[in-house]
């Protein structure tokens, strides 16, 4: 399938932080979750892709086009949804739509009206008086009204109540069902991605830990639970991380067959969530 986004060895150095040779790619028709703790490099990566920051090295291709040489064309085909609102707060959604429309060559007034109705947005209420959920829906309506082929979303569900979050996730699922669009969803709320993501890219301390299909990731890792003291010091290398308390231990591992041979029925093996995996990678060997 066609790659809608390709990042290769993207590098940017700041004082105290380095985005270090970041590489991943995604195909059309998919939702990619971009996960990592706060400060891991998610927003920096997005800004580099969209040429909002100057890279030190590497390349980014969007729709197969270089993100610098073809910046204007790319931004006409990309929709942004951020956790903060960047519109004129004193204007209404209707007025803001009229200002934004001339900026995009593929703007569709009928589509804009459709999404305003679908998202139940008040056309004549000032943007500053909209709830955070409504502002997020308005950003999404703008993105969809210029026929964006790639949605880039930076923490879009942060601070939203569960009902609005689920509604937004349903909308994203509908968008990605076609073969011609993609959604790049950056978040630290991994439970949202458990529901909708097709693939996951995990970044930690400026480096990519893995980038793969979500189902493969959840199948490749396992949670292991057992009695305290069961795991000897020399066996800890079989785990990505272990937490221990007075009742027992829990650890994240990959080779479930080996662990079953080692510990037999003395352990319980469960399927992890994305949050489990992220926490163990970011807090290796931290005792609870």
């Amino acid at each position: 399938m066609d790659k809608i986004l390709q990042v290769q060895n993207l590098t940017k150095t700041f004082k105290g932080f380095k985005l270090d040779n970041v590489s991943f790619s995604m195909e059309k028709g998919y939702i990619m979750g971009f996960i990592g703790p706060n400060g891991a490099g998610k927003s920096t990566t997005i800004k580099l892709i969209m040429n909002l920051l100057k890279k030190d090295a590497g390349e980014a291709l969007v729709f197969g086009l270089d993100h610098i040489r073809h910046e204007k064309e790319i931004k006409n085909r990309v929709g942004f949804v951020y956790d903060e609102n960047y519109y004129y707060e004193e204007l209404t959604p209707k007025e803001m739509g009229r200002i934004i429309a001339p900026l995009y060559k593929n703007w569709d007034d009928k589509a804009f009206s459709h999404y305003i109705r679908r998202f139940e947005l008040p056309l004549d209420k000032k943007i500053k008086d909209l709830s955070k959920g409504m502002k997020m829906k308005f950003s999404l309506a703008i993105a969809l009204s210029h026929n964006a082929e790639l949605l880039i979303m930076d923490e879009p569900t942060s601070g939203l109540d569960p009902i609005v979050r689920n509604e937004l996730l349903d909308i994203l699922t509908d968008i990605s069902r076609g073969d011609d669009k993609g959604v790049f969803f950056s978040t630290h709320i991994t439970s949202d991605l458990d529901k909708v993501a097709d693939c996951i890219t995990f970044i930690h301390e400026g480096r990519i830990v893995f980038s793969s299909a979500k189902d493969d990731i959840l199948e490749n890792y396992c949670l292991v639970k057992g009695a305290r003291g069961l795991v000897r010091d020399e066996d800890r290398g079989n785990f990505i991380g272990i937490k221990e308390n007075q009742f027992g231990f829990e650890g994240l591992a990959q080779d479930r067959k080996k662990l079953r041979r080692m510990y037999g029925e003395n352990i319980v093996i469960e399927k992890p969530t994305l949050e489990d995996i992220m926490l163990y990678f970011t807090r290796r060997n931290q005792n609870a």
Side-chain angles (χ1 to χ4, degrees):
M1 295 182 68
D2 294 335
K3 295 285 193 301
I4 198 170
L5 177 61
Q6 296 170 273
V7 175
Q8 188 67 36
N9 298 324
L10 207 55
T11 301
K12 178 69 177 179
T13 301
F14 301 95
K15 184 179 180 180
F17 178 79
K18 181 179 181 181
L19 196 76
D20 193 2
N21 288 299
V22 165
S23 298
F24 61 87
S25 65
M26 66 174 289
E27 297 175 345
K28 293 181 179 179
Y30 286 85
I31 297 176
M32 172 174 278
F34 191 40
I35 67 172
N38 290 330
K42 300 188 299 296
S43 294
T44 298
T45 301
I46 289 174
K47 289 176 181 178
L48 289 172
I49 291 171
M50 298 315 300
N51 201 28
L52 300 176
L53 283 176
K54 185 177 180 181
K55 65 189 178 185
D56 295 337
E59 67 174 1
L61 301 179
V62 187
F63 315 116
L65 303 172
D66 181 83
H67 69 137
I68 295 176
R69 292 198 301 271
H70 300 276
E71 180 178 5
K72 185 175 180 180
E73 178 182 348
I74 287 170
K75 289 183 176 178
N76 251 299
R77 298 167 65 184
V78 170
F80 298 97
V81 180
Y82 295 105
D83 66 333
E84 296 291 337
N85 178 55
Y86 291 98
Y87 301 112
Y88 297 123
E89 293 274 294
E90 292 296 327
L91 299 182
T92 66
K94 184 176 181 179
E95 292 167 338
M96 196 70 235
R98 284 201 296 264
I99 290 175
I100 292 174
L103 303 178
Y104 295 101
K105 65 179 181 180
N106 292 324
W107 181 266
D108 187 335
D109 281 323
K110 290 183 179 179
F112 181 64
S113 297
H114 165 76
Y115 287 113
I116 289 293
R117 289 193 302 271
R118 178 178 174 180
F119 300 159
E120 298 179 341
L121 295 172
L123 275 175
D124 298 317
K125 193 173 184 178
K126 289 185 178 181
I127 292 173
K128 70 175 183 179
D129 296 324
L130 300 180
S131 67
K132 184 165 185 177
M134 284 186 175
K135 289 177 181 178
M136 192 63 61
K137 290 180 186 177
F138 178 62
S139 294
L140 192 55
I142 292 291
L144 297 174
S145 296
H146 67 86
N147 196 31
E149 298 165 54
L150 173 63
L151 287 181
I152 295 181
M153 314 184 79
D154 193 1
E155 301 286 355
T157 57
S158 178
L160 300 183
D161 66 62
I163 294 175
V164 175
R165 278 171 54 198
N166 282 325
E167 186 179 357
L168 179 62
L169 297 178
D170 288 341
I171 293 167
L172 297 182
T173 301
D174 289 342
I175 293 169
S176 67
R177 280 178 180 157
D179 292 333
D180 61 335
K181 298 183 186 297
V183 178
F184 185 71
F185 191 141
S186 171
T187 185
H188 66 279
I189 306 176
T190 54
S191 58
D192 290 340
L193 300 177
D194 282 317
K195 299 175 183 177
V196 301
D198 301 297
C199 45
I200 301 292
T201 296
F202 175 26
I203 187 170
H204 179 47
E205 295 180 342
R207 296 183 179 182
I208 299 298
V209 179
F210 55 68
S211 184
S212 187
K214 182 187 70 178
D215 291 343
D216 290 344
I217 293 166
L218 296 179
E219 187 63 33
N220 289 338
Y221 294 96
C222 61
L223 278 182
V224 183
K225 300 178 180 179
R228 184 178 177 88
L230 183 64
V231 180
R232 299 173 299 180
D233 288 343
E234 58 265 36
D235 295 334
R236 288 178 175 264
N238 294 301
F239 294 87
I240 291 160
I242 292 179
K243 294 191 298 184
E244 293 180 308
N245 56 37
Q246 59 181 325
F247 304 107
F249 83 91
E250 178 187 275
L252 183 72
Q254 283 188 277
D255 195 339
R256 67 188 70 197
K257 291 182 179 179
K258 180 179 179 180
L259 292 169
R260 184 62 77 188
R261 288 196 303 268
M262 291 174 62
Y263 302 112
E265 297 304 315
N266 293 317
I267 58 172
V268 175
I269 297 178
E270 299 177 351
K271 189 174 183 178
T273 63
L274 290 173
E275 183 175 3
D276 292 326
I277 295 170
M278 186 175 78
L279 288 176
Y280 273 102
F281 268 102
T282 56
R283 300 175 183 174
R284 288 190 177 208
N285 301 316
Q286 181 183 50
N287 289 335

